[in-house]
Amino acid sequence: MTRLIFLGPPGAGKGTQAKLLAEQLEIPHISTGDILRSAIAQTTPLGQKAQSYVEKGELVPDELLLDLVRERLDQPDAQKGWILDGFPRNVSQATFLEKLLQELNQSFDYAVNLDVPDEVLIGRLLGRGRQDDNEQTIRRRLEVYRNETEPVIAFYRERSSLKVINGDRSVDEVTQSLTQIVAS
Ligand code: B4P
């Protein structure tokens, strides 16, 4: 049973790696970014509330995400493992997740931080060209990452659950490192 939390700055390759690994391990890839983008595309009530935050590179308010993550991790397919990609994004989400996993009687193996220098991140995101990948929004996302998400790395380090991987390598090389962590 594998349960992993993927951390890392925007463009670090969380989504790319989580998708590959989840397919390989036949477990769900749960991406809060994907859930929000799909809600925005379908103009659901969640999407309408989240859109302006995502477009500006801000974090969507916690109250829009917490119940959603609770329901998703309680689904039958999540009982055989999962990769959580993009959640938690701040310490309050990390604290929530810690309590939620206790409640659901689940644990996790590691929080994995994909480490990539800023200049590489900006190049990748501009190359991808998603709606929220313009230069101004990317800079804001990086700033939000430093202020809100980096403390989450310390949160997991203090709990001895953190693994750091160099994400500034080819997709295959990063996947290999992740596969080794899963096997360890
Ligand atoms: P996310 O969807 O989580 O996206 P991301 O951080 O931008 O990207 P990721 O790291 O997954 O990069 P990817 O693999 O795609 O968040 C988007 C927004 O949603 C946030 O700004 C926020 O507003 C909101 N949100 C999400 N979760 C939230 C939460 N919990 N709370 C509040 N708000 C939340 O890779 C990027 C590019 O790099 C791709 O083009 C890829 O092909 C390329 N790439 C990947 N790996 C590579 C490699 N090894 N070498 C070269 N290129 C590579």
Side-chain angles (χ1 to χ4, degrees):
M1 161 101 62
T2 304
R3 296 192 191 104
L4 294 173
I5 296 167
F6 274 21
L7 307 171
K14 300 182 293 292
T16 305
Q17 295 297 334
K19 182 171 181 290
L20 289 168
L21 204 62
E23 273 166 15
Q24 197 178 304
L25 299 170
E26 298 183 5
I27 54 177
H29 166 206
I30 303 173
S31 158
T32 45
D34 285 351
I35 293 170
L36 291 170
R37 277 186 291 281
S38 134
I40 292 168
Q42 292 169 38
T43 55
T44 65
L46 168 68
Q48 286 173 338
K49 288 181 203 141
Q51 183 163 17
S52 66
Y53 296 96
V54 174
E55 281 173 359
K56 285 190 220 132
E58 303 294 339
L59 293 184
V60 169
D62 288 353
E63 69 257 26
L64 295 182
L65 283 155
L66 302 187
D67 283 346
L68 190 150
V69 169
R70 180 195 302 275
E71 279 164 29
R72 186 64 192 86
L73 289 182
D74 206 20
Q75 294 288 310
D77 67 339
Q79 307 318 307
K80 56 175 188 167
W82 39 255
I83 297 179
L84 199 47
D85 160 18
F87 188 98
R89 265 305 210 277
N90 58 29
V91 171
S92 102
Q93 292 182 4
T95 308
F96 166 85
L97 181 63
E98 191 168 53
K99 290 200 195 105
L100 173 64
L101 293 179
Q102 273 169 13
E103 228 176 82
L104 297 176
N105 225 345
Q106 296 186 18
S107 56
F108 68 95
D109 304 296
Y110 297 108
V112 180
N113 182 39
L114 295 176
D115 201 21
V116 179
D118 275 10
E119 59 278 13
V120 176
L121 296 173
I122 294 171
R124 283 187 190 175
L125 293 173
L126 286 174
R128 179 173 65 182
R130 208 169 65 195
Q131 185 89 21
D132 58 339
D133 286 339
N134 60 76
E135 190 145 4
Q136 192 186 356
T137 304
I138 292 171
R139 291 205 183 278
R140 181 62 192 145
R141 281 157 64 198
L142 285 172
E143 206 172 73
V144 169
Y145 172 77
R146 299 283 168 238
N147 296 337
E148 302 273 335
T149 313
E150 255 183 7
V152 176
I153 296 173
F155 180 96
Y156 288 115
R157 187 179 289 119
E158 282 160 19
R159 285 157 178 75
S160 306
S161 306
L162 184 72
K163 294 272 182 194
V164 180
I165 286 191
N166 173 12
D168 187 14
R169 294 176 293 159
S170 73
V171 171
D172 278 357
E173 285 169 316
V174 179
T175 310
Q176 272 174 33
S177 295
L178 285 165
T179 310
Q180 277 166 15
I181 287 180
V182 169
S184 68

